[in-house]
Each structure stands twice: as C-alpha cells, then as structure tokens.
Amino acid sequence: QKEVEQDPGPLSVPEGAIVSLNCTYSNSAFQYFMWYRQYSRKGPELLMYTYSSGNKEDGRFTAQVDKSSKYISLFIRDSQPSDSATYLCAMSALHDMRFGAGTRLTVKP
Amino acid sequence: DGGITQSPKYLFRKEGQNVTLSCEQNLNHDAMYWYRQDPGQGLRLIYYSQIVNDFQKGDIAEGYSVSREKKESFPLTVTSAQKNPTAFYLCASNFRTSGGELFFGEGSRLTVL
C-alpha cells in the first residue's frame, strides 16, 4: 500500500462545476497538509496549506483535513478553464514529505 | 524577484554520460531538495540538504550525486549509474523550521537517448 493514495483521473468537468479532489494516507504522524497545482511542464505551486485537522478557505478553494479518517480534500467552486492542471496532495511530518501521484483536471468552457 | 532557477529546462544526453542540473535560489532558504517526477507517480525525493556542506539521501539516491557548497546552490549530477534517468527533475527549497511548505523551480526535463 502506498503511503499516499490519490486518484490520477483524468477528471473532466464543465466550467462552473464544483470539483472535489481527494487523498488518503496511512501515516498518522503527518501534521502538515498541502495542495499543489502544477501546469504542464512547470513546477508545482502551493495552493493550500493546512496544519492538523479542519477546514481552510481561500477564494474559490477550500481544503479539508480529517485526521481521524486520514483523508484530505480540495474543493474548487465555480471552476474555470484556467483551473485545468494537475493537482498534487502532499503531507509531511516536518522533513518527511510525501506526495500523491496527482489528479489531472480539465475544465471545459 | 525571489525564486528558484533551474537550468537547463531541457537536456538531451547519450546513455553513459554524466549530466549536471543546476538549481539556484535567492529566497535565503536553508533547505534545498531534489525530486524526480515520472508519469503516474508522486514526486520522489532524491537528495536534500538542510545546511551548507551537508546533505542526506532521499528515497531514490542511487545513481545521483549532489553538493552544497553555497547556501544558494544545490546542483544535481545524474551519473551513468542511474539506470533510468529520463525524467522531469524538480528542485525545491524552504526554511529548515518550516512545516513543509516547499517552493519549486520550473523543472528540468532530461531525456537520455
């Protein structure tokens, strides 16, 4: 079993849809949870950063962490074609960071 | 503007040749990292360095070497011992006391012919 599981997709939605991206993990020591967005042939850029359990909202993006279920989510409201990218979940216990394989998202106009 | 610069962006090499990928940062970060990204797989850690003149192996260090002679620079050499070197290589950095937030460069695509 991988330490971090993420459905690779691809996921295709119409513009304006609500997108839900998810990851599960097995290491209960993870305390920091992140979502990165990666455009094709580019480096990942940090989208959301959460410490421990709870929700965090930033504009159209909401990150949720449920440590009891070892499950994290990213919701994108009113999705735009510019949101088309690969989304990577990541989690760490200080310097031990693990990444999901990434979910490729396409938002169609 | 502060950031991480990787070069070259694209690199082609013949099998058996060593290649060195450059990574420079001006964010004053203590720690620097090299990751490898392959299709369908998460980023895998090759090497990391938390301070100058010190570095640690990651999960897939075999066939790679690094140096950290300056705080700003962390070059990666892909040696001929690396069995499958064709990949997208990402350099990242952060503050040593950071909880994990990484800043990435734009990546270097290495193709071995």
Side-chain angles (χ1 to χ4, degrees):
Chain A
Q1 183 190 4
K2 288 183 181 178
E3 212 162 355
V4 180
E5 298 276 3
Q6 181 177 11
D7 186 341
L11 182 62
S12 181
V13 301
E15 184 175 352
I18 296 174
V19 176
S20 172
L21 305 169
N22 312 292
C23 287
T24 59
Y25 63 94
S26 57
N27 187 348
S28 57
F30 290 142
Q31 299 177 68
Y32 303 91
F33 303 90
M34 288 139 284
W35 287 94
Y36 287 85
R37 178 174 60 196
Q38 185 177 23
Y39 293 112
S40 183
R41 297 189 185 90
K42 298 286 188 182
E45 55 179 332
L46 184 67
L47 201 56
M48 299 291 281
Y49 177 81
T50 310
Y51 172 71
S52 195
S53 283
N55 294 358
K56 185 173 184 178
E57 189 173 319
D58 185 1
R60 296 185 294 110
F61 299 90
T62 300
Q64 289 185 350
V65 174
D66 182 348
K67 289 188 72 177
S68 61
S69 302
K70 298 190 180 67
Y71 187 88
I72 70 170
S73 301
L74 177 71
F75 297 96
I76 307 174
R77 290 184 299 281
D78 187 26
S79 56
Q80 302 295 308
S82 58
D83 295 327
S84 298
T86 296
Y87 290 80
L88 305 167
C89 65
M91 43 207 76
S92 73
L94 202 58
H95 291 290
D96 182 19
M97 180 174 286
R98 302 291 167 177
F99 288 84
T103 300
R104 184 182 294 180
L105 170 68
T106 301
V107 180
K108 295 184 175 179
Chain B
D1 284 334
I4 300 175
T5 302
Q6 288 187 240
S7 63
K9 194 170 177 64
Y10 299 97
L11 186 60
F12 296 87
R13 279 295 181 265
K14 291 183 179 178
E15 201 171 313
Q17 289 182 330
N18 291 355
V19 298
T20 297
L21 307 180
S22 170
C23 178
E24 303 276 334
Q25 56 98 0
N26 60 3
L27 299 167
N28 200 33
H29 285 161
D30 315 291
M32 298 186 73
Y33 308 78
W34 275 104
Y35 286 91
R36 172 180 170 138
Q37 187 174 34
D38 295 283
Q41 297 196 44
L43 275 65
R44 292 183 292 168
L45 183 63
I46 304 172
Y47 268 99
Y48 68 98
S49 167
Q50 295 187 46
I51 55 172
V52 174
N53 292 323
D54 185 57
F55 48 82
Q56 307 295 326
K57 291 182 179 180
D59 299 319
I60 55 165
E62 186 176 347
Y64 300 98
S65 66
V66 294
S67 64
R68 186 88 186 275
E69 296 176 3
K70 298 187 302 182
K71 186 177 183 178
E72 302 80 16
S73 179
F74 192 41
L76 173 74
T77 297
V78 184
T79 75
S80 57
Q82 168 50 232
K83 291 182 172 53
N84 185 19
T86 294
F88 190 52
Y89 291 89
L90 287 160
C91 180
S93 69
N94 65 2
F95 290 111
R96 198 160 29 139
T97 53
S98 161
E101 181 182 358
L102 286 176
F103 294 82
F104 284 91
E106 290 286 89
S108 293
R109 174 71 186 177
L110 171 63
T111 302
V112 175
L113 306 171

